[in-house]
Amino acid sequence: MSTDVDLLIVGAGPAGMAAAVTARSRGLTVLLLDENAGPGGQVHRGIEHRAAKDEQDADGAKLAAALRSSAVETRFRATLWAVEPGGKVFWSEEGAARSAVAGRILLCTGATERPLPIPGWTLPGVMTVGAAQIALKTAGLKPQGDVWIAGQGPLLWLYAKQAVEAGGRLAGIVDLSHGIPPAALRHLPRALMAPGYLLKGLAWQRRVKRAGVRVIHAEEIRAEGEGRLARIVVDGTEHAADLLLLHDGVVPNTQITRAIPGCAHDWDAVQACWKPRLDAWGNTTAEGVMVAGDGGGIGGARAAAHAGRLAALEAARALGRMTEDQRNAEAGTERLALNRQLAARPFLDALFPPRPVTAIPDETIICRCEEVTAGKVREAVTLGCLGSNQTKAFTRTGMGPCQGRVCGPVVHAVIAAARGVDPAQVDPFRTRFPTKPLTLGELAALAE
Amino acid sequence: MERYDVAVIGGGMVGTAIGYGCAERGARVIVLDEGDVALRAARGNFGLVWGQSKGDGMPAYGAWTRLSITLWPSLAERVSGFAGRDVCYSPVGGLTFCLSEQELAERRDFVHRRHNQGHGTVRIVDRRELLEMMPGCRLGPEVVGASYDPTDGHVDPLTLLRGLHAGLRAAGGVHLPGAPVVAIEPVGGEYRIARADGAAVMARRIVVAAGVATTRIAAMVGLDVPVRPVRGQNIVTERLAPILPKPASAIRQTGDGTIQIGVTSEDDGILETPTTTAALAKMAARAIRVLPPLASARMVRGWAALRPMTPDGFPAYAESATHPGCFVAVCHSGVTLAAVHAGPMAEAVMGGGMHALAAELHPDRFARMPIQHVPAI
Amino acid sequence: MFQRSDPPDITITWDGRELPARSGESLATALLAAGVLSFRETPVSGAARGPLCLMGACFDCLVEVEGQQNVQACMTPVHPGLRAAPQHGVRDLPEVEAA
Ligand SMILES: Cc1cc2nc3c(=O)[nH]c(=O)nc-3n(C[C@H](O)[C@H](O)[C@H](O)COP(=O)(O)OP(=O)(O)OC[C@H]3O[C@@H](n4cnc5c(N)ncnc54)[C@H](O)[C@@H]3O)c2cc1C
Ligand SMILES: Cc1cc2nc3c(=O)[nH]c(=O)nc-3n(C[C@H](O)[C@H](O)[C@H](O)COP(=O)(O)OP(=O)(O)OC[C@H]3O[C@@H](n4cnc5c(N)ncnc54)[C@H](O)[C@@H]3O)c2cc1C
């Protein structure tokens, strides 16, 4: 089959930007799609429109500038929704479906936040920490008033620090983590190879506390209000609240990879998530499809950029633009840097295990689209459902417009806990193309 | 080892209906099933309870279908109770839209044939009558008419499956999912049924209802039932305000408000269920010709599932001559036929004798027959 | 709630009333900045809902934009005069314009 482009990259976060520039510099034609308005991805969102405030912003600005000055073809507000055998891809742009055939496909679709379902989390006024961070980075919205943060994980502290530094005010942080679990300690020596990471995390916490933000360590939290959030109840104590920001870590966005026939995924017991099975270069088990960045396992922004460059070199090799030896030679420093970035991961992952789903009361909605409660999912298990797919058929969980993006990890964990088995034995939702809703009119226009 | 009166192999639409029916009649029933990821048309079908197109060339199948439709209201009520929510059975009449004079002429011939074979309820309606029947329906200008059968209707097939499983349990039946059955052997007037995971049960009677996997399992009990997979792709949209009051053969509005659009008939023998953008695009294009406002409706999901198809497309039911007490049941309209499966078929399995109409659908007929490629709806 | 760091520079219409917004931002952040937390009522139970993720994943921020219903506010850039409204339950499809 003749191709329209050598390498198609989805996602213009650090992984996608770095990969695109590297691939182009090795002579590949590159088409980069992202559904956002510009480059940056999650961590560097809106980077071209705000002043760089820290090291991370500087990284992002550099990547975006390199991308803009390269001959990579970029298309923003372009949402990829199908990958078919033979390198055929489909996306939507300005209300029209488009397609192209690529020599190789590199998915750099990043991470999504692991949902933290608590009673009342469907009330207007309850959002994720990631959402508030996006509001801060893209629109300069800072928290003000009775704004609470609840949950755990490094990103929670990072946002709190960013919010405070931007002049925002937080009523308090409800820390649902459990201190340092013994399992984490055995990863500490390796983590110390990347001390910057750990010190940064501690510094964020100090910065937030210094700003006078109150931190409550708690087991239980509930959101309440009539038609919108009015208060939170933390271990039985009420606090006025007009905004509650939840966070329980991030998980790879595997919506696309899981829809690709033959693309194997494995359960990562430490990060408590599914991730595509990748070789050292980012090749999946599906011919011609690669993954780099957080979409292949959470590693952070810098790791994502290194993984992106490695994947680009491998793409160049696979397309015959360099030999294996050349690829290996050029990859050396990237790989060293990647390993250094990943050194602290096992410690961080063990430090912030997801909140146990046994803490979710039966009446709590876990599928927000179809309004299915944890109790309904548990009931489906008693009716013989072993995994997410039969449960979906029995309860409609995961059938709404988000297609299980939000509820997927929780439904999976609730089923595993209800069955009392290792989550690795519980099948996740099968995703399907189109992975994002598109109009029937757009789709029909593709019919010959 | 656990002993049962009836072991059903396959927890899809056919096996669960028969298992539920047997349990309700007092039998000790186990339904042996595969796990979460399986070829299970019961989870991927279109949800029509449909007679207008069934039995062209096999009047017994037409009559069997009509019998099921008469039994459906009672099944719907029981199943809704077990499922804990409405199965949304709505026998409001069903349509097959025609988008050109030629399609209408062909449909007219078809309806004529159906009448000659004893199916009198289906008739042709023209555009004017369609609009009278569905006031305000925004039908596209190309819709010239339809075939219409007032006895047809639709249901939420997922609630149906759930309700049949819940009913099975409520009647004391057991559902054992997780691994395929790999061997069946007669042991002293009973049968030992072994699974891939090492589990085994004993049963006096067996029902093979393994969908597209039926051929291999049926052979273990001396039954020759050729079944091949015929893939169907589906589209479902976001929830919409009421826009289509009656279900049609490839487009219906579900009780939840979503529009379901079907379905391909891909007869390539491949036991996989990918969707293809090309097929989905064609389906969407035809749906828009029927109801132009759908052009701006958003598709939320597409999927594919495999219909179990016999050489002539009609169901197959039999008790084994070599393995007494062992039955097979396979069909491509397991939703429509759920009521006869939970009723007369369950009685047959429990020793009450095969219903006269089902007896005419014996798989022996396939020995004399080439494969036909029949449309599934 | 939220406070802006930079002043708004355009005006949009929400449910018939004028709201300030800042060019370049999404409709969702414009509404949040104006103190609008509830964007719609769900088609399932009719409960009030606002945005959860702001990154296009959750489909909780559905609103009506220029007559088109069920549009993700977080993926919709604002422009001067943009008209938007809450999404009330299931979507109503617009009439097809004659070709
Ligand atoms: C909400 C959120 C906030 C985060 N904030 C931070 C932070 O402040 N600091 C930090 O270190 N880490 C943060 N992380 C973690 C962060 O995701 C990674 O460290 C880093 O961004 C990973 O880079 P990436 O290139 O793998 O993916 P991302 O940066 O996530 O980029 C993925 C890109 O793919 C695009 N995309 C996805 N699917 C499609 C599709 N179908 N079609 C077109 N485009 C698509 C997205 O629009 C996005 O731009 C955050 C994660 C989340 C989920
Ligand atoms: C796209 C599509 C649209 C359809 N539309 C309609 C419609 O509108 N109306 C209608 O009436 N019908 C419709 N059907 C047909 C209907 O879904 C099937 O007739 C029905 O599901 C068949 O039931 P079954 O139990 O034979 O097979 P399935 O429902 O496929 O179930 C087979 C079961 O057997 C199990 N199994 C397989 N091998 C083994 C083994 N070795 N051991 C244990 N268990 C095993 C499987 O795991 C599965 O649970 C449609 C089908 C498709 C694909």
Side-chain angles (χ1 to χ4, degrees), chain B residues 59-132:
Chain B
Y61 175 36
W64 182 239
T65 299
R66 287 192 293 281
L67 175 61
S68 198
I69 290 175
T70 62
L71 296 175
W72 243 102
S74 144
L75 179 71
E77 201 182 307
R78 283 173 292 150
V79 159
S80 296
F82 293 127
R85 64 166 186 254
D86 189 3
V87 72
C88 296
Y89 174 52
S90 75
V92 292
L95 299 160
T96 301
F97 288 113
C98 300
L99 298 184
S100 65
E101 291 302 335
Q102 193 197 332
E103 281 185 26
L104 190 61
E106 285 166 11
R107 198 66 192 167
R108 207 180 290 279
D109 288 347
F110 177 81
V111 164
H112 194 68
R113 281 208 308 279
R114 302 290 293 125
H115 283 192
N116 291 340
Q117 295 173 81
H119 191 92
T121 46
V122 63
R123 64 192 171 88
I124 291 290
V125 292
D126 61 14
R127 182 181 174 87
R128 188 188 46 82
E129 203 179 337
L130 270 176
L131 289 170
E132 274 168 22

Side-chain angles (χ1 to χ4, degrees), chain A residues 123 167 203 210 217 225 364 377 392 398:
Chain A
L123 285 168
R210 207 170 57 231
H217 291 270
T364 303
V377 169
K392 169 175 167 169

Side-chain angles (χ1 to χ4, degrees), chain B residues 34 37 48 149:
Chain B
E34 294 174 299
V37 173
L48 299 180
D149 190 329

